[in-house]
Amino acid sequence: MSENKIPYKIYLEESEMPKDWYNVRADMKNKPAPLLNPGTHEPMTAEELGMVFCEELVKQELDNDNRHIEIPKKIRDFYKMYRPSPLVRAYCLEEKLQTPAKIYYKFEGNNTSGSHKLNSAIAQAFYAKEQGLKGVTTETGAGQWGTALSMACSYLDLDCKVYMVKCSYEQKPFRREVMRTYGASVTPSPSETTEVGRRILAEHPGTTGSLGCAISEAVEVATHSEGYRYVLGSVLNQVLLHQSIIGVETKTAMDKYGIKPDIIIGCAGGGSNLGGLISPFMGEKLRGEADYQFIAVEPASCPSLTRGVYAYDFCDTGMVCPLAKMYTLGSGFIPSANHAGGLRYHGMSSVLSQLYADGYMEARSVEQTSVFKAAEQFARVEGILPAPESSHAIRIAIDEAMKCKETGEEKTILFGLTGTGYFDMYAYEKFHNGEMSDYIPTDEDLKAGLAGLPRF
């Protein structure tokens, strides 16, 4: 199909929506390292994981072999409220940049939760309901995951307890109120409501919190409350599996129009959005069927891939969760209170960490003010106010497009626009007032966090 027939927005029909999630682990020669029991340092069994997670989700977490896993009909019916999501050709941005590059973005902000997080929230809530549970607990950073989970739990009549990173709780009161509108209880973390929260507050008085802190509190509540399980919005294998619907839809739309991306870019905090977007393309690369350049973009203030170490570490600050092998800054690392709350996690998905270690993708870190400059530029020409997290991907997409302007190359660039920034106006205000700063941790700062890595 000729290029002039490619529309601004490519929408798939409902009948074209994926019926299966794609499990990239099945095509990985080197599988992600298993989760370890923090006490015995032995691989976690299904029975042990079942004390924290839903039974069906444990099966998905441990499944390294099945390439395709069927999406239950009830989940697909829920997806139809906002999926398939559009693949957008950024014609306006291309024209503004005067670049020969062709820029596309997969837009996941077209639902009330405002992000891609709903793709996994409904799946995890569905399996909790199927198991007959009363409710679930979770953490949230910027609030997109907590919002998505509260929506899913409301739909399925499940109780939802959310521990929200304290700095985001204070910076984003309206995100908090959306969660409460959907019936969730929202607690700023670290809090006095849990033993681990009280311990963290004693060690770090006045702390603004971190995802690692919030995870610890949510896990404690889940394991001490009958009929509850813990669910996580990123990092885990099962979450990347659910988010693969992003990439499968994207590839289906591109194949329909004969489009092949050269560069695929995603922001990276724990890995759910990046992992979901790249999954089927990465599968082709792993199978030797095609080649792509994959770029993970993270904040310079929390640079787990670019400055972390690849080692087993606790997934949470309170050290109550299993050990995961990942690129990490140390579970005790508490990043500065930057405005990309969803990217303030000390580690990275084990799947993405293994792919990065094996050289299948690269990583770049970017500073906060540079990210907001890109966000503002994008908003002015494409008409969507992007979330700070997604704006990391926008930053690198613009950079790559400008390289094409210099070289004359007509590369095709794809990135994930995973959320909207309408609850992030406090951050935009700081940027516009010239009050936003760039914090980059020193090597000494990072040493302090890495000193706490478990030794065994």
Side-chain angles (χ1 to χ4, degrees), residues 146-452:
T147 302
L149 187 65
S150 66
M151 283 183 65
C153 287
S154 174
Y155 182 76
L156 294 168
D157 296 317
L158 284 169
D159 185 40
C160 181
K161 301 182 189 298
V162 181
Y163 282 83
M164 187 173 186
V165 176
K166 187 177 289 182
C167 73
S168 290
Y169 183 93
E170 294 167 351
Q171 291 173 357
K172 302 179 184 183
F174 300 120
R175 181 75 70 181
R176 179 183 73 220
E177 292 313 309
V178 174
M179 290 183 242
R180 293 176 65 191
T181 298
Y182 281 104
S185 65
V186 189
T187 305
S189 173
S191 73
E192 296 284 353
T193 65
T194 64
E195 183 180 333
V196 68
R198 291 188 290 272
R199 189 169 78 238
I200 292 169
L201 285 170
E203 293 174 6
H204 305 279
T207 179
T208 56
S210 71
L211 283 166
C213 296
I215 290 170
S216 296
E217 293 202 271
V219 170
E220 180 180 318
V221 173
T223 54
H224 288 77
S225 305
E226 187 177 350
Y228 283 76
R229 291 294 187 276
Y230 168 70
V231 296
L232 184 64
S234 190
V235 182
L236 294 174
N237 298 339
Q238 57 188 269
V239 182
L240 269 67
L241 174 72
H242 304 150
Q243 295 298 355
S244 68
I245 192 168
I246 302 171
V248 176
E249 275 189 10
T250 303
K251 191 169 188 314
T252 300
M254 287 190 144
D255 287 349
K256 206 172 178 181
Y257 284 85
I259 307 162
K260 181 182 181 295
D262 298 296
I263 306 171
I264 305 175
I265 304 165
C267 64
S272 67
N273 125 73
L274 174 67
L277 176 65
I278 70 174
S279 60
F281 301 98
M282 180 63 77
E284 286 189 324
K285 184 165 183 169
L286 291 167
R287 295 190 300 272
E289 298 168 2
D291 194 22
Y292 305 95
Q293 180 184 3
F294 299 102
I295 305 175
V297 193
E298 60 186 8
S301 60
C302 193
S304 57
L305 283 172
T306 52
R307 295 178 66 193
V309 299
Y310 191 30
Y312 267 106
D313 192 14
F314 288 97
C315 293
D316 63 316
T317 305
M319 301 182 183
V320 297
C321 289
L323 296 165
K325 190 175 183 185
M326 57 185 174
Y327 279 88
T328 179
L329 300 170
S331 61
F333 178 78
I334 297 181
S336 67
N338 70 51
H339 295 285
L343 304 184
R344 298 176 72 249
Y345 184 59
H346 65 272
M348 185 58 61
S349 148
S350 291
V351 169
L352 295 181
S353 291
Q354 186 66 60
L355 291 169
Y356 181 61
D358 290 343
Y360 289 105
M361 66 181 195
E362 60 186 270
R364 299 181 195 172
S365 66
V366 287
E367 296 176 10
Q368 191 167 223
T369 53
S370 174
V371 165
F372 274 82
K373 284 176 186 173
E376 183 180 77
Q377 185 177 8
F378 182 85
R380 289 179 178 181
V381 295
E382 284 293 323
I384 296 173
L385 186 74
E389 292 79 10
S390 300
S391 300
H392 287 66
I394 295 172
R395 172 73 276 162
I396 296 301
I398 290 175
D399 290 349
E400 289 298 317
M402 295 308 288
K403 286 181 185 175
C404 289
K405 184 176 181 178
E406 293 173 9
T407 63
E409 294 175 284
E410 296 184 10
K411 289 186 177 180
T412 298
I413 299 168
L414 166 67
F415 71 90
L417 179 49
T418 54
T420 52
Y422 299 104
F423 287 118
D424 298 284
M425 298 320 296
Y426 174 79
Y428 277 93
E429 180 186 34
K430 289 284 187 185
F431 174 69
H432 292 141
N433 289 345
E435 298 168 354
M436 182 176 285
S437 61
D438 290 318
Y439 172 75
I440 301 176
T442 65
D443 290 342
E444 289 302 314
D445 292 334
L446 296 183
K447 279 182 185 176
L450 295 172

